[in-house]
Amino acid sequence: MKTELRELSEIKPYPGNPRQNDGAVAAVAASIREFGFRQPIVVDADGDIVCGHTRWKAAQKLGLETVPVHVATDLTPAQIRAYRIA
């Protein structure tokens, strides 16, 4: 899996995100602070989050400027929709 660093400001939350995990942001931020980023945020070719909204919010809370991302260029739009729900 290829990852790259991207500016947090270049990553856009998906407006229809089916998961509402705001209660987990503080815990994820604490985990990132202690252990670092161990799982990248998955985005599509346009920079929209496919998976990792809570990590994105935690990175904002921590004031991070860049985060690791994986660009899922090998997924079809239908697969991206299904992955967002999975």
Side-chain angles (χ1 to χ4, degrees), residues 4-12 56 64-67 69:
E4 60 187 58
L5 287 178
R6 284 211 182 164
E7 297 286 327
L8 195 60
S9 60
E10 294 175 11
I11 301 169
K12 301 171 284 202
W56 178 78
L64 301 180
E65 293 182 17
T66 60
V67 294
V69 299

Side-chain angles (χ1 to χ4, degrees), residues 56-74:
W56 178 78
K57 289 177 182 180
Q60 284 184 314
K61 181 179 181 73
L62 293 170
L64 301 180
E65 293 182 17
T66 60
V67 294
V69 299
H70 168 70
V71 184
T73 56
D74 58 332

Side-chain angles (χ1 to χ4, degrees), residues 11-74:
I11 301 169
K12 301 171 284 202
Y14 176 66
N17 178 26
R19 297 178 182 257
Q20 302 303 318
N21 292 334
D22 287 346
V25 173
V28 172
S31 175
I32 292 170
R33 187 180 311 108
E34 174 139 3
F35 306 111
F37 243 98
R38 298 293 169 192
Q39 185 176 12
I41 296 170
V42 179
V43 299
D44 64 16
D46 295 323
D48 294 325
I49 297 174
V50 174
C51 179
H53 287 83
T54 306
R55 279 170 269 145
W56 178 78
K57 289 177 182 180
Q60 284 184 314
K61 181 179 181 73
L62 293 170
L64 301 180
E65 293 182 17
T66 60
V67 294
V69 299
H70 168 70
V71 184
T73 56
D74 58 332

